[in-house]
Amino acid sequence: MRFRAFLQTIAKSAQQAMPPSLHVFSGKFGSQEEARRYTEAQWQDGSEEPTWRIRQDLPVTYLSPDFIETIFGDEKTDYLESQLAKDSDKGSLRADISDDADTLVLIMSPAFDGKKVRLSSTPRLRYHGEYTWKL
């Protein structure tokens, strides 16, 4: 719960620049660990920089890991719907996300340091679009 409060505080301060939004991706990884190996920075012994596959695949100059959520499992779509501000988005996303997808990746707009971005699918994730985030 403290993480959620932290995200809300940061997002509210960023609202002056642009309304808070949520970028939604789905994919199939087989396990939460495999999904996180893609969405989170991975430090190798002796390396000074982590490998971060999602960061390499997204066409952005800045991406904060503090605003990325990797949701795996049966409750993923319910959780996504709890984060969306508009009821119309909930139904359209539920219909758009493949039954085969076992993972959702949510990237909150503050992850881009207040800059507007244009995202697309990556080799591992299907991009569903940008939606209004319910704070």
Side-chain angles (χ1 to χ4, degrees), residues 27-91:
K28 184 172 182 168
F29 289 88
S31 72
Q32 187 172 23
E33 294 76 25
E34 183 63 24
R36 286 187 171 164
R37 277 194 280 278
Y38 183 76
T39 63
E40 296 177 5
Q42 304 296 308
W43 291 91
Q44 306 298 322
D45 289 340
S47 70
E48 294 185 25
E49 294 291 323
T51 58
W52 192 13
R53 294 183 340 198
I54 195 172
R55 173 63 185 90
Q56 295 165 348
D57 290 343
L58 290 175
V60 296
T61 55
Y62 179 84
L63 182 65
S64 170
D66 295 331
F67 298 97
I68 299 175
E69 283 192 84
T70 305
I71 298 98
F72 182 86
D74 296 335
E75 305 297 320
K76 64 189 177 302
T77 307
D78 293 335
Y79 178 78
L80 170 62
E81 289 179 352
S82 76
Q83 300 301 304
L84 298 171
K86 297 179 183 174
D87 288 337
S88 59
D89 292 341
K90 296 174 185 181

Side-chain angles (χ1 to χ4, degrees), residues 1-28:
M1 293 306 276
R2 291 189 325 174
F3 180 70
R4 178 83 173 133
F6 167 75
L7 290 178
Q8 288 175 333
T9 300
I10 297 298
K12 284 180 182 180
S13 68
Q15 282 185 47
Q16 287 90 22
M18 67 168 79
S21 63
L22 194 63
H23 294 269
V24 179
F25 295 84
S26 66
K28 184 172 182 168

